[in-house]
Amino acid sequence: MLILMSKPRKQKLPRDLQRSVAVDTREQTPWQWGDLVVERRTLHSGDYTLIDSDGSLLDHLIVIERKSLDDFVACCGRERARFERELQRLAEECMYPFVFVEGSYDEVGKQNYSSTLIPRQIIGSVYAFAIDYGVHIQFVSSHDHAAAAARRLFLVIEARIDRGDIKVGSKECVIRPRELTFSTRYGA
């Protein structure tokens, strides 16, 4: 059995973001970002992204689409065709597309949503969206937890940019592969 392991990183994440956050002008219930600089801008896809030090959007690198649980369930059912077009656009335009669902797997399992879809249809859709479009779908328990998770995700991206793992240019990103070591189960 082959195990892929990355070398441990010694660098810690900074305590807070140095870049600003862009929130789409159409976002109806935006997350609260505390003391961070937040700008309302019209984003082509998604609801949140970072703004680079030169003022350009990093929406070709990282975008978060926010969904309430009921909205996401509708995207798995009656609004699926529209949502899949949105995911296709995200996949084509963004290196790291995310969907943050403000709800939990437990709520899905208990059917705490307004739909006749059953939980396995929703979970199956999560996997299908990930496989078909390469989108990362994160369930977070509440609006506030989603904001905290987004802040943490942006910190990780920012740290990788700052240490040179991700080179950001105008609408182009280059990822430097991490140094990987290989080992087998038997140490050979």
Side-chain angles (χ1 to χ4, degrees), residues 143-160:
H143 191 74
D144 291 337
H145 286 137
R151 191 177 198 136
R152 183 70 178 173
L153 174 61
F154 285 161
L155 274 170
V156 170
I157 291 291
E158 183 174 74
R160 296 227 171 138

Side-chain angles (χ1 to χ4, degrees), residues 76-142:
C76 296
R78 69 181 182 276
E79 295 179 23
R80 187 180 192 103
R82 179 199 56 80
F83 187 60
E84 285 185 336
R85 287 190 302 274
E86 186 175 346
L87 293 179
Q88 181 66 40
R89 189 172 55 248
L90 274 174
E92 291 171 355
E93 297 175 359
C94 180
M95 186 170 290
Y96 299 113
F98 280 81
V99 175
F100 277 28
V101 181
E102 294 174 349
S104 67
Y105 278 109
D106 192 44
E107 288 177 279
V108 172
K110 292 177 181 176
Q111 293 184 289
N112 288 345
Y113 49 81
S114 304
S115 175
T116 57
L117 291 179
I118 59 175
R120 74 170 182 252
Q121 291 172 303
I122 296 164
I123 300 307
S125 293
V126 169
Y127 296 138
F129 296 151
I131 292 167
D132 295 343
Y133 302 101
V135 67
H136 307 278
I137 299 176
Q138 303 290 313
F139 282 80
V140 282
S141 59
S142 70

Side-chain angles (χ1 to χ4, degrees), residues 13-21 31 33 36 48-50 58 61-66 94-101 135-140 145-163 166:
L13 291 177
R15 288 186 145 298
D16 223 333
L17 285 168
Q18 304 305 307
R19 288 170 176 79
S20 302
V21 174
W31 295 323
W33 294 90
L36 291 181
Y48 300 91
T49 192
L50 287 172
L58 295 179
L61 176 64
I62 178 81
V63 170
I64 300 173
E65 172 71 26
R66 183 194 65 80
C94 180
M95 186 170 290
Y96 299 113
F98 280 81
V99 175
F100 277 28
V101 181
V135 67
H136 307 278
I137 299 176
Q138 303 290 313
F139 282 80
V140 282
H145 286 137
R151 191 177 198 136
R152 183 70 178 173
L153 174 61
F154 285 161
L155 274 170
V156 170
I157 291 291
E158 183 174 74
R160 296 227 171 138
I161 292 170
D162 291 345
R163 71 177 178 231
I166 300 174

